[in-house]
Amino acid sequence: MNIQSVINREVFAPRDERILVAVEVKRRKRKKVPFLPTGGKGEYMTYICLSVTNKRPAQLLITKVKQFGGSASFTRRSQWSVEQLRQVDGIDPNKDCPEFDLVFDNAFDQWVASSAAEKCIFIQIMYHACQTYWEGKERVPGGLGSPAGDQQKDQRASPGAQVSPGSQGGQRGVPGAQARRKSTVGPRPRQTEFVNCQSKLTGDACTVNLVIYRCKVFFNRMKKGMVSKQSSPQAGAGHRASPSGQRPPGDSMASVVKRASQALQERGERLGRAEDKTVDLMHKAQQFADTAHKLALKYSN
């Protein structure tokens, strides 16, 4: 079970919410509060999560979740609704980068994701979720784009509609009707603004790009796993060589150092081969991404 599923089960499911996407982040610039004591709860990991409520009408929420060192549980820290989210800044519209900013009504956070691919997945899903949410908000009863509003519009435009005496050109001579018609529409809701975001995150080829970024995230996680597996036996071998800090009987210091250096060299070579293999896989994934992007652009036109 991945981290997103665990967070959904522990944090969002009990609150009758469903997580859409989560990204691990760190602050680009740490907030300094001089009157607070230094230290705290130690190391922790922060996740920015996008979730939706299961109840109707559905609410779109942005939540900050933390996992403190030495604990397997997750803690919900801050939460905002999408109406409070003013702007999502992708920082660089020309290339993939892990940095992004979130601007709320009462907060401004500068984040860096664990990888550029994870940040792109987060922004892409958030963009389309916001689009769907605001389109649903506009289709309120009697509002613009709603079935009731369209029906009223068709009735006013039909030839059999009643026209008050003395009016010319339909409802043009009844100012009160125009005022009532304007009051039923209401102001257009303020939508979340996405700036400095790559067009491929908000374009027609969004599904293909989402698959590409998920492949990149998978390869990055596989690379980290291979590195950790290669480093853990190395540390364990060091402890097994001298469990009590004493030399094995019958062995000289020179032979112990020679065997240790030889073991380290062999493990270094294996780690180098694993690194080369991972880089080769990354190149192949990039070539696949470029080919898929060209195909998407070709068929979108």
Side-chain angles (χ1 to χ4, degrees), residues 10-11 64-68 71 73-78:
E10 294 186 6
V11 179
K64 185 190 303 181
V65 176
K66 290 189 177 182
Q67 182 185 31
F68 293 95
S71 175
S73 60
F74 296 87
T75 305
R76 186 175 67 93
R77 305 296 291 180
S78 305

Side-chain angles (χ1 to χ4, degrees), residues 202-215:
T202 57
D204 297 332
C206 59
T207 305
V208 176
N209 290 320
L210 188 60
V211 173
I212 294 171
Y213 286 126
R214 290 191 185 278
C215 291

Side-chain angles (χ1 to χ4, degrees), residues 39-245:
K41 297 185 178 181
E43 295 296 327
Y44 58 86
M45 290 187 292
T46 304
Y47 298 89
I48 301 297
C49 307
L50 180 68
S51 64
V52 62
T53 58
N54 294 323
K55 297 180 180 179
R56 299 295 178 181
Q59 296 293 321
L60 197 59
L61 304 171
I62 300 96
T63 309
K64 185 190 303 181
V65 176
K66 290 189 177 182
Q67 182 185 31
F68 293 95
S71 175
S73 60
F74 296 87
T75 305
R76 186 175 67 93
R77 305 296 291 180
S78 305
Q79 190 173 64
W80 299 270
S81 64
V82 72
E83 284 88 355
Q84 296 174 294
L85 181 61
R86 293 184 181 179
Q87 187 181 89
V88 177
D89 190 345
I91 304 301
D92 195 336
N94 300 318
K95 67 177 182 179
D96 294 343
C97 65
E99 296 86 4
F100 67 98
D101 296 342
L102 297 179
V103 182
F104 299 94
D105 288 337
N106 56 353
F108 171 62
D109 291 325
Q110 295 178 313
W111 300 110
V112 53
S114 56
S115 68
E118 293 189 18
K119 170 239 180 172
C120 291
I121 291 176
F122 176 76
I123 289 185
Q124 187 171 4
I125 295 178
M126 174 176 279
Y127 173 81
H128 290 284
C130 289
Q131 292 293 106
T132 303
Y133 177 82
W134 289 118
E135 288 176 2
K137 291 287 287 185
E138 289 182 355
R139 292 183 175 273
V140 295
L144 288 176
S146 65
D150 294 339
Q151 184 177 3
Q152 294 174 4
K153 182 179 179 181
D154 294 338
Q155 290 177 356
R156 289 194 300 268
S158 62
Q162 296 181 358
V163 181
S164 60
S167 64
Q168 299 178 357
Q171 294 289 344
R172 186 167 49 187
V174 187
Q178 293 181 355
R180 286 194 300 270
R181 190 162 63 248
K182 290 181 180 179
S183 62
T184 58
V185 173
R188 183 183 180 90
R190 185 195 68 187
Q191 299 187 10
T192 304
E193 184 182 11
F194 286 77
V195 298
N196 297 325
C197 296
Q198 294 172 286
S199 59
K200 63 182 178 181
L201 302 181
T202 57
D204 297 332
C206 59
T207 305
V208 176
N209 290 320
L210 188 60
V211 173
I212 294 171
Y213 286 126
R214 290 191 185 278
C215 291
K216 290 183 178 180
V217 171
F218 172 76
F219 283 122
N220 287 334
R221 291 176 180 174
M222 187 174 65
K223 177 182 177 181
K224 292 179 181 178
M226 294 174 64
V227 172
S228 62
K229 287 181 180 179
Q230 290 290 339
S231 59
S232 57
Q234 177 178 346
H239 289 293
R240 289 194 299 270
S242 57
S244 59

